Amino acid sequence: MEKVGIGLLGYGTVGSGVGKLLVKNAEDITLATGRQVYLKRVLEKDPGFSAPGLDPALLTARFEDILEDPGIDIVVELIGGVGAALDFQLRALRAGKNVVTANKQLLAQHGAELFEAAESTNAHLRFEASAVGAVPVIKVLRESLVAAEVKTIFGIVNGTTNYMLSAMAETGAEYGDVLKEAQRLGYAEADPTEDVGGKDAAAKMAILASIGFHSRTGLDDVAYEGISGVTSADIAHGARLGLVAKLLGVAKLIDGRMNVRVYPAFIPRAHPLAGVTGAYNAVFLESDAFDRIMLFGPGAGSVPTASAVIGDIISVVNTVKGSFVQNCLCYKDVPFFAGADMVSSFYLRLRVSDQPGVLAKIASLFGDHGVSIASMVQEGGGDAAELVLLLHPVREAQFFAALDKMKSLPEVQGESAFIRIEGET
Ligand SMILES: NC(=O)c1ccc[n+]([C@@H]2O[C@H](COP(=O)([O-])OP(=O)(O)OC[C@H]3O[C@@H](n4cnc5c(N)ncnc54)[C@H](OP(=O)(O)O)[C@@H]3O)[C@@H](O)[C@H]2O)c1
């Protein structure tokens, strides 16, 4: 039987999962491909590296041992980062080797270079695990829905922040305490910046928008905000209004232009995404062709992510060079839609002095900017009075202009908080 050698770069969380699944599911993989797919070499930078179940004879600290091995057909990059990983992937693709990766930041920041390198030798570059871990959203967008003209891709694409916002809603604890607990339980990394700041979700959304809208989108094209400004008070106000807070990735195609962003948002409790709690991920796809599809599952973890990597390996093995779908399918150049022109509904919390005429003043200022109030609730009184407003959909530039003016009113004190509302029907 023909053999397919795998050169695995990195035997960490995901890499070791791939190593184990290749052995454990060897029979299924052979049945799916008609070939014997096996681990031929493993790159780790520490020459003294060892791991349970890994044959030390497979280890090398020299990338060239993989690059120059004619028996290695597929290089699986699972070291992460955008330094050595970029160098290794480019060299492998330019040498005509197929590459499978889970590296979202690398693809979102250097996708153009990588896909060009793949095209130059007709090599395959597969990256299902780079967005939403085990959930096969890229394959669905690229193959199953290729003719469906997907118009909206939005969802929960970061498990850390979803765990944290769920915990804040359940316990009423504040952001800082929940972050510490998430780190203790292993849901957040020691340096959680990429997750809580939205950069991880932004890279995934750049990849999903590229595939879904067939137009190259990079990290620089995605405006992103994290969850550090979301308070348990806002989550509780939202809950009373039937809303649930999530960090959402939102990519929309509007009149031939696209907008891709990441921000904390409220969604109605009845929305299917509202029930996605803990470290789970879910992506909602909308199209005139099929209305709505939701994909749901674990967005990270050793074996779940490794299973998506194995799926990509099988897809490469089953693909005759050059005769299958292109790697990226970015054959369009869709212009971007400015965030300021996007139309959004808002939740707004203001601290005001409880004086006669304040509500009328605020309503009139909003009216002057074309912002219409759907509901307004006052909580508390005296200096601690808070107004919680829900605003009808409005061009974001108008909302922010009104908010700026509002902050200069003497009756409005301290920091205001706003959260977009998504998923309304
Ligand atoms: N973990 C997940 O659940 C998950 C989910 C989706 C996607 N991903 C993506 O999958 C990739 C791998 O993540 P991971 O969590 O498996 O990372 P990890 O546990 O840190 O594993 C990376 C491994 O690669 C080794 N390595 C790093 N730089 C190297 C180099 N220059 N040469 C050789 N070996 C090197 C590391 O060694 P040292 O430890 O000695 O540095 C480590 O053993 C990342 O791109 C990540 O974003 C991960």
Side-chain angles (χ1 to χ4, degrees):
M1 183 183 295
E2 197 183 323
K3 287 184 164 190
V4 177
I6 304 291
L8 180 57
L9 315 184
Y11 204 80
T13 305
V14 184
S16 59
V18 169
K20 283 172 200 153
L21 287 188
L22 276 176
V23 175
K24 187 169 170 242
N25 298 331
E27 208 175 323
D28 288 339
I29 296 170
T30 300
L31 284 170
T33 59
R35 322 272 161 83
Q36 190 191 335
V37 180
Y38 74 109
L39 196 55
K40 187 147 198 273
R41 208 84 196 187
V42 175
L43 179 82
E44 267 293 335
K45 62 177 187 281
D46 175 5
F49 183 88
S50 70
L54 176 65
D55 178 357
L58 299 184
L59 275 165
T60 177
R62 286 182 72 246
F63 175 63
E64 290 69 23
D65 289 341
I66 288 172
L67 187 69
E68 289 159 13
D69 184 339
I72 289 181
D73 307 281
I74 303 174
V75 172
V76 178
E77 185 275 300
L78 294 170
I79 64 175
V82 293
L86 176 62
D87 177 51
F88 294 161
Q89 285 200 29
L90 285 175
R91 284 162 71 194
L93 290 166
R94 285 176 186 147
K97 292 204 190 289
N98 303 298
V99 170
V100 172
T101 182
N103 195 332
K104 67 213 87 144
Q105 291 299 344
L106 186 63
L107 284 167
Q109 294 175 45
H110 296 279
E113 246 174 301
L114 289 165
F115 288 110
E116 201 182 294
E119 252 165 54
S120 73
T121 57
N122 228 1
H124 295 284
L125 172 57
R126 293 281 187 274
F127 45 93
E128 182 66 67
S130 67
V132 211
V135 185
V137 60
I138 289 173
K139 202 175 176 85
V140 166
L141 281 172
R142 192 171 55 185
E143 297 178 29
S144 318
L145 303 180
V146 72
E149 211 193 344
V150 172
K151 289 207 169 125
T152 309
I153 305 168
F154 83 107
I156 298 160
V157 296
N158 180 273
T160 305
T161 48
N162 201 47
Y163 167 81
M164 289 176 62
L165 291 173
S166 304
M168 285 170 80
E170 271 165 34
T171 64
E174 282 303 346
Y175 170 84
D177 296 328
V178 169
L179 175 57
K180 277 190 208 132
E181 182 65 359
Q183 285 171 318
R184 194 183 67 78
L185 295 171
Y187 290 125
E189 298 194 14
D191 177 2
T193 322
E194 276 197 12
D195 289 317
V196 297
K199 187 177 173 185
D200 174 86
K204 292 170 184 167
M205 290 311 296
I207 294 167
L208 295 182
S210 296
I211 303 303
F213 301 152
H214 310 305
S215 185
R216 173 98 47 231
T217 310
L219 184 66
D220 290 345
D221 301 314
V222 184
Y224 59 90
E225 297 164 33
I227 63 162
S228 59
V230 179
T231 65
S232 58
D234 288 316
I235 291 177
H237 284 311
R240 283 191 282 278
L241 296 163
L243 299 168
V244 178
K246 297 285 175 196
L247 183 72
L248 290 187
V250 183
K252 290 182 179 172
L253 198 56
I254 307 150
D255 300 331
R257 287 183 291 161
M258 65 174 170
N259 181 274
V260 190
R261 296 189 288 178
V262 170
Y263 44 72
F266 275 131
I267 46 176
R269 196 177 287 130
H271 193 281
L273 283 178
V276 178
T277 55
Y280 272 82
N281 284 193
V283 176
F284 218 69
L285 306 172
E286 291 177 347
S287 156
D288 292 341
F290 57 73
D291 196 13
R292 294 155 162 201
I293 287 176
M294 187 164 109
L295 300 156
F296 164 78
S302 176
V303 171
T305 311
S307 84
V309 172
I310 302 280
D312 273 349
I313 292 174
I314 291 173
S315 155
V316 170
V317 176
N318 283 343
T319 303
V320 180
K321 272 195 173 185
S323 68
F324 192 56
V325 286
Q326 294 170 42
N327 289 318
C328 180
L329 269 186
C330 290
Y331 58 86
K332 292 185 189 169
D333 193 5
V334 179
F336 287 95
F337 199 100
D341 290 329
M342 293 295 288
V343 171
S344 300
S345 303
F346 284 92
Y347 155 99
L348 175 65
R349 176 171 53 80
L350 297 170
R351 175 155 289 199
V352 295
S353 51
D354 192 9
Q355 292 166 12
V358 176
L359 299 189
K361 224 172 175 177
I362 288 171
S364 140
L365 197 150
F366 270 137
D368 292 347
H369 287 81
V371 181
S372 152
I373 298 171
S375 71
M376 176 151 60
V377 178
Q378 180 175 334
E379 304 222 352
D383 284 344
E386 280 194 323
L387 286 185
V388 175
L389 299 100
L390 295 186
L391 305 176
H392 283 301
V394 61
R395 221 178 115 246
E396 292 202 2
Q398 285 164 252
F399 168 75
F400 287 114
L403 189 59
D404 264 0
K405 281 263 167 59
M406 193 93 52
K407 284 177 182 167
S408 59
L409 292 178
E411 296 87 347
V412 174
Q413 302 152 353
E415 276 299 297
S416 53
F418 70 85
I419 297 178
R420 291 176 182 80
I421 302 173
E422 285 288 342
E424 293 171 303
T425 45

